[in-house]
């Protein structure tokens, strides 16, 4: 606490000062006051020193003994506690500034996640409300100390910047709360992934909105959240308040990455449990490699099934025309085919990238 705040607290006058002044004028001692009130002397002294608040019962006892209305004492107490609380809150905000400065505040303001204010105490309040926690200690327990967390099931302690990562994930939760999502139906979700494949091939201008609606009808909250500095996450999957969430950043801005990431996250929902949380492309978190491999295989087969892959490999040596022909035949985005072949080592990463469609989920 700063010296200024400490001094301000010392200058506050508790209601007990007025009690002491009143009995001094009357020539009454604290011992006599306590006796007339039927209270222990130590308790009355605690009230006078401000260590004990004036309760309704105490206020009416003072009214009877000193002749000053109970309402006066209660209002005096209320005002004193309000002033004391404001000073303690100010000290609390000062103590939170170090925690606050670890977050990418400018970017969060730019995205509209936080109000555009320079006042530190307002920023602290906004950040606490953003995370839905009372103090930075609760944030630490939820996002860093995994062993005591019930709201978050993976520790971010070893990530490069747990503050930025937690902010990105929290925004996804807040976005998911705003969606009208039906009860989760795994069978329907799995069936609708073939509808999503058609959407990926056609990729209309509003494909992102259509994709979100398809997921919502199956009980999956799909949200798009832009990356924050030092939180390079492509996607994440977890259950939050009994709702599965797929969170995508559109980080690489091409259709092969976007659709593979979506189907990878969808694979986690279909194949894995509600207690798991998966963060893609994020170093410092524990990775269940077996489950990641399962989700990768699921995505690869959904996007480019074996028959299509065989037809592509039989078309070597490739040129753009052959890739486009196979893409039309099996209704697979050409960029997805190129990305798959590059990942498998059949194509160098610099070839045929012009066939990949650009995807920009955000207008900033």
């Amino acid at each position: 606490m700063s010296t200024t705040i400490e001094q301000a607290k010392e200058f506050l006058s508790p209601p007990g000062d007025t009690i002491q002044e009143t009995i001094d004028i009357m020539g009454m001692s604290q011992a006599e006051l306590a006796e007339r009130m039927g209270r222990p002397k130590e308790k009355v002294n605690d009230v006078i020193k401000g260590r004990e608040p004036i309760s309704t019962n105490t206020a009416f006892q003072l009214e009877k003994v000193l002749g000053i209305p109970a309402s006066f004492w209660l209002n005096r107490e209320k005002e004193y506690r309000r002033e004391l609380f404001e000073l303690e809150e100010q000290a609390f905000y000062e103590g939170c500034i170090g925690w606050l400065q670890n977050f990418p505040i400018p970017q969060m303001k730019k995205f509209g996640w936080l109000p555009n204010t320079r006042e530190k105490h307002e920023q602290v309040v906004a950040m606490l409300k953003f995370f839905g926690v009372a103090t930075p200690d609760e944030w630490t327990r939820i996002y860093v100390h995994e062993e005591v967390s019930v709201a978050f099931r993976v520790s971010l302690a070893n990530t490069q910047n747990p503050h930025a990562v937690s902010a990105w994930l929290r925004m996804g939760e807040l976005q998911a709360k705003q969606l009208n999502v039906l009860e989760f139906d795994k069978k329907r979700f799995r069936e609708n992934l073939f509808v999503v494949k058609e959407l990926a091939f056609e990729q209309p201008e509003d494909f992102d909105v259509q994709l979100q609606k398809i997921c919502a009808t199956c009980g999956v909250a799909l949200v798009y959240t832009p990356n924050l500095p030092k939180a390079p996450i492509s996607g994440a999957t977890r259950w939050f308040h009994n709702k599965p969430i797929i969170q995508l950043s559109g980080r690489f801005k091409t259709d092969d990455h976007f659709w593979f990431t979506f189907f990878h996250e969808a694979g986690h929902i279909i194949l894995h449990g509600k207690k798991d949380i998966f963060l893609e492309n994020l170093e410092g978190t524990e990775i269940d490699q077996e489950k990641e491999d399962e989700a990768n295989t699921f995505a690869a087969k959904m996007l480019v099934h074996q028959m299509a892959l065989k037809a592509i490999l039989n078309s070597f040596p490739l040129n753009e025309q052959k890739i486009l022909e196979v893409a039309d035949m099996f209704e697979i985005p050409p960029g997805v085919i190129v990305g798959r072949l590059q990942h498998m080592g059949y194509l160098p990463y610099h070839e045929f990238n012009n066939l990949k469609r650009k995807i920009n989920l955000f207008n900033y």
Side-chain angles (χ1 to χ4, degrees):
M1 187 184 302
S2 71
T3 304
T4 304
I5 296 174
E6 288 181 351
Q7 289 174 343
K9 287 184 71 174
E10 290 176 3
F11 282 118
L12 282 183
S13 174
D17 287 353
T18 307
I19 296 174
Q20 186 64 56
E21 291 171 4
T22 303
I23 62 175
D24 285 345
I25 293 170
M26 296 173 67
M28 184 187 299
S29 67
Q30 286 190 24
E32 182 182 349
L33 176 63
E35 187 174 18
R36 289 178 181 276
M37 292 175 65
R39 302 282 290 276
K41 179 181 176 182
E42 294 77 11
K43 292 293 183 183
V44 170
N45 184 257
D46 285 340
V47 171
I48 289 175
K49 295 298 183 183
R51 293 189 291 266
E52 184 79 20
I54 294 178
S55 65
T56 301
N57 182 48
T58 300
F60 277 98
Q61 288 177 344
L62 289 169
E63 179 181 85
K64 294 182 180 76
V65 176
L66 303 179
I68 299 175
S71 59
F72 170 83
W73 298 113
L74 291 173
N75 287 333
R76 182 80 167 78
E77 177 67 32
K78 181 180 178 181
E79 184 64 18
Y80 169 71
R81 295 297 166 184
R82 182 189 64 78
E83 292 175 350
L84 184 62
F85 174 78
E86 288 177 353
L87 288 173
E88 289 175 343
E89 278 288 276
Q90 189 177 342
F92 169 72
Y93 296 142
E94 285 191 6
C96 292
I97 290 175
W99 170 74
L100 182 73
Q101 290 174 340
N102 289 312
F103 291 96
I105 303 293
Q107 204 71 15
M108 294 176 74
K109 286 182 183 178
K110 176 184 175 182
F111 293 155
W113 303 0
L114 295 176
N116 189 20
T117 176
R118 292 185 178 183
E119 294 294 329
K120 292 300 182 183
H121 77 277
E122 292 178 3
Q123 291 180 11
V124 170
V125 171
M127 190 67 76
L128 293 173
K129 287 182 178 179
F130 176 81
F131 281 105
V133 295
T135 72
D137 288 341
E138 277 66 56
W139 174 88
T140 300
R141 278 191 282 272
I142 290 171
Y143 291 100
V144 180
H145 298 321
E146 179 188 4
E147 65 276 6
V148 296
S149 171
V150 295
F152 195 67
R153 298 187 181 91
V154 63
S155 172
L156 301 179
N158 296 319
T159 59
Q160 184 181 14
N161 193 317
H163 299 79
V165 175
S166 65
W168 187 82
L169 290 167
R170 177 60 176 168
M171 191 60 208
E173 294 167 359
L174 296 176
Q175 290 173 301
K177 284 183 177 181
Q178 301 302 313
L179 296 179
N180 184 16
V181 176
L182 300 180
E183 186 176 350
F184 178 61
D185 186 329
K186 182 188 285 189
K187 182 174 181 291
R188 186 173 184 180
F189 183 51
R190 187 159 200 156
E191 290 171 349
N192 269 273
L193 290 181
F194 293 96
V195 178
V196 173
K197 277 192 67 175
E198 295 176 12
L199 182 67
F201 178 67
E202 296 168 2
Q203 199 166 303
E205 205 168 298
D206 65 340
F207 77 92
D208 52 338
V209 176
Q210 290 191 41
L211 180 59
Q212 199 171 51
K213 289 179 179 177
I214 292 169
C215 290
T217 62
C218 306
V220 176
L222 170 66
V223 297
Y224 308 113
T225 313
N227 278 133
L228 290 170
K230 298 183 181 179
I233 309 173
S234 320
T237 304
R238 74 271 198 202
W239 286 71
F240 181 73
H241 293 174
N242 297 316
K243 180 190 298 182
I245 298 176
I246 292 178
Q247 186 174 358
L248 303 179
S249 68
R251 180 184 173 204
F252 293 103
K253 295 182 171 56
T254 56
D255 60 346
D256 60 322
H257 283 288
F258 177 86
W259 291 111
F260 188 88
T261 302
F262 170 78
F263 280 103
H264 177 97
E265 305 304 338
H268 280 312
I269 290 176
I270 288 172
L271 301 173
H272 305 134
K274 294 182 178 181
K275 293 185 177 181
D276 293 317
I277 177 168
F278 301 97
L279 308 178
E280 313 306 335
N281 300 105
L282 182 65
E283 295 182 1
T285 55
E286 292 184 11
I287 296 175
D288 188 327
Q289 194 58 54
E290 182 178 351
K291 290 181 178 179
E292 289 299 322
D293 290 343
E294 289 171 351
N296 281 336
T297 300
F298 179 88
K301 288 182 176 179
M302 282 296 303
L303 283 168
V304 185
H305 53 76
Q306 285 301 113
M307 188 178 296
L309 184 61
K310 185 177 180 181
I312 295 167
L313 295 178
N314 287 337
S315 299
F316 271 77
L318 289 178
N319 55 44
E320 284 191 19
Q321 185 60 37
K322 288 181 180 179
I323 294 174
L324 292 172
E325 287 175 359
V326 173
D328 286 337
M329 183 187 305
F330 292 99
E331 296 190 340
I332 301 171
V336 169
I337 292 176
V338 172
R340 183 73 182 137
L341 293 176
Q342 288 174 342
H343 178 76
M344 295 177 71
Y346 290 109
L347 285 178
Y349 279 97
H350 65 274
E351 284 191 7
F352 302 116
N353 288 326
N354 60 301
L355 296 179
K356 298 179 181 180
R357 287 176 289 194
K358 298 293 183 182
I359 287 182
N360 186 9
L361 298 173
F362 314 103
N363 293 321
Y364 35 67

